[in-house]
């Protein structure tokens, strides 16, 4: 039985703006995303006559609610195959964090199956399949740095951001993405990120300019208690020397960008006193 193993990389949204609600119920977004060096391991094999998922965390659904399951089903359907698929997922990306963990697993399944079956789908076809599975799946399939528009699935690739240290904290609370989007519909957003300035800073390789423009409109839609937690984490990151900090995606993880790795590590150590899930990485 042949199998392939892939690394499914997490992402953060350096900035996230919501421009309005669309006729199809989704929201028009404008977001700058970058992959970060934190990954799940996904092993895919053509096996049996059904889709089977094993995840090393009991609280993660291993059925059709899992994006990896949807990806396998969509892939098999699109190439007209009645093969079975086994998927093994070793999780490292925190769940319900806004770091694209589920989307990255789904993207890895698409790429793994395409490889196992000898590449029946072109990159373009794979990305269009990915967009049908979830708004973040196309970005997760390609990675790097990109501006996402539309539902987040239309990608304009950008240069890599400068080398830096990234501290990520996943607080205990989780937020439902659809709920947060509908909360956005009921409030008038007061502030928006300077996305054009962010894009210019990325093109100029300007870490300060990038970090100062980290901003996520979803923070305003959090309830007071959760917002206070996010503000507390951001405060600690900035006081510790982060050049900028924001929540990623629909949360609840919060990141800070540091030019100084020692400060990043000290701040991560401090945050570990209050939060169980803290990561410090270099891009
Ligand atoms: O595309 P995905 O399945 O990740 O989206 C999950 C949910 O988030 C959607 O059902 C929708 O409620 C909301 N969403 C949205 N606008 C987007 C992306 C997601 O309203 N651009």
């Amino acid at each position: 039985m042949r199998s392939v193993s892939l690394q499914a990389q997490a992402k953060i949204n350096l900035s996230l703006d919501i421009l309005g609600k669309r006729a199809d119920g989704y929201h028009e977004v404008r977001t700058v995303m970058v992959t970060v060096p934190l990954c799940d391991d996904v092993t895919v094999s053509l096996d049996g006559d059904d889709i089977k998922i094993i995840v090393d965390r009991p609280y993660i659904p291993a059925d059709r609610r899992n994006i990896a399951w949807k990806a396998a089903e969509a892939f098999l359907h699109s190439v007209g195959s009645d093969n079975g698929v086994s998927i093994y997922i070793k999780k490292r990306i925190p769940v319900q964090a806004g770091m694209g963990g589920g989307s990255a697993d789904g993207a890895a399944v698409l790429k793994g199956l395409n490889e196992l079956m000898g590449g029946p789908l072109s990159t373009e076809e794979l990305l269009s399949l990915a967009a049908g599975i979830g708004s973040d799946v196309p970005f997760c399939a390609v990675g790097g740095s990109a501006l996402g528009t539309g539902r987040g699935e239309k990608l304009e690739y950008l240069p890599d951001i400068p080398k830096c240290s990234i501290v990520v904290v996943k607080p205990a609370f989780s937020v439902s993405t659809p709920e947060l989007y509908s909360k956005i519909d009921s409030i008038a957003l007061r502030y928006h990120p300077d996305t054009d300035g962010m894009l210019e800073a990325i093109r100029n390789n300007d870490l300060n300019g990038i970090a100062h423009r980290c901003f996520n409109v979803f923070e305003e839609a959090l309830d007071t208690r959760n917002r206070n937690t996010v503000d507390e984490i951001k405060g600690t990151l900035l006081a510790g020397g982060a050049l900028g900090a924001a929540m990623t995606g629909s949360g609840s993880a919060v990141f800070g960008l540091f030019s100084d790795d020692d400060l990043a590590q000290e701040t991560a150590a401090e945050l570990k006193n209050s939060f169980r899930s803290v990561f410090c990485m270099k891009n």
Side-chain angles (χ1 to χ4, degrees):
M1 180 184 62
R2 236 166 60 77
S3 64
V4 286
S5 293
L6 298 100
Q7 292 196 327
Q9 262 196 302
K11 57 90 181 165
I12 56 174
N13 300 76
L14 293 176
S15 65
L16 195 160
D17 199 6
I18 298 172
L19 307 178
K21 192 167 181 185
R22 312 184 339 173
D24 64 4
Y26 280 87
H27 293 75
E28 198 67 23
V29 303
R30 198 157 182 249
T31 178
V32 175
M33 299 173 274
V34 293
T35 42
V36 292
L38 175 65
C39 63
D40 292 345
D41 294 334
V42 178
T43 302
V44 187
S45 45
L46 292 173
D47 178 31
D49 48 19
D50 211 346
I51 298 169
K52 277 195 292 296
I53 301 187
I54 298 173
V55 198
D56 69 344
R57 306 280 167 97
Y59 52 85
I60 297 176
D63 52 29
R64 49 178 71 236
R65 287 170 296 171
N66 195 305
I67 300 179
W69 206 101
K70 290 179 193 158
E73 185 182 48
F75 186 93
L76 294 173
H77 183 257
S78 80
V79 299
S81 165
D82 55 7
N83 255 298
V85 175
S86 289
I87 301 162
Y88 172 72
I89 305 173
K90 180 175 171 49
K91 288 301 290 181
R92 287 195 206 84
I93 306 171
V95 298
Q96 297 206 295
M99 298 185 76
S103 302
D105 297 344
V109 168
L110 293 180
K111 291 196 287 185
L113 285 175
N114 205 37
E115 191 182 325
L116 281 174
M117 291 193 172
L121 299 188
S122 66
T123 304
E124 206 176 301
E125 288 167 329
L126 213 59
L127 289 183
S128 133
L129 198 58
I133 297 162
S135 307
D136 286 340
V137 184
F139 175 73
C140 290
V142 184
S145 308
L147 171 71
T149 55
R151 287 188 291 124
E153 89 289 13
K154 289 187 193 145
L155 302 173
E156 184 190 317
Y157 300 106
L158 301 167
D160 288 341
I161 64 165
K163 295 279 167 226
C164 61
S165 295
I166 305 167
V167 175
V168 177
V169 182
K170 164 70 179 81
F173 76 86
S174 295
V175 204
S176 137
T177 304
E179 268 174 39
L180 211 53
Y181 268 111
S182 69
K183 182 83 187 298
I184 287 279
D185 297 335
S186 67
I187 59 176
L189 290 171
R190 283 177 303 164
Y191 305 105
H192 291 271
D194 173 17
T195 311
D196 290 336
M198 170 73 82
L199 296 175
E200 199 185 324
I202 291 177
R203 293 193 176 105
N204 291 336
N205 206 36
D206 167 14
L207 183 61
N208 256 298
I210 294 167
H212 289 150
R213 291 177 177 84
C214 288
F215 188 88
N216 184 342
V217 293
F218 273 130
E219 289 176 34
E220 200 172 331
L222 294 173
D223 63 35
T224 310
R225 207 169 119 207
N226 293 340
R227 191 158 179 206
N228 287 344
T229 304
V230 167
D231 285 345
E232 179 199 331
I233 297 169
K234 282 167 59 175
T236 307
L237 289 165
L238 294 169
L243 304 174
M247 188 169 84
T248 173
S250 57
S252 62
V254 178
F255 66 90
L257 302 184
F258 291 76
S259 56
D260 182 320
D261 189 53
D262 291 337
L263 290 180
Q265 299 212 28
E266 282 163 28
T267 310
E270 184 188 340
L271 283 157
K272 275 181 190 156
N273 295 324
S274 312
F275 299 93
R276 223 156 50 107
S277 193
V278 179
F279 305 84
C280 184
M281 50 207 154
K282 284 186 192 175
N283 72 339

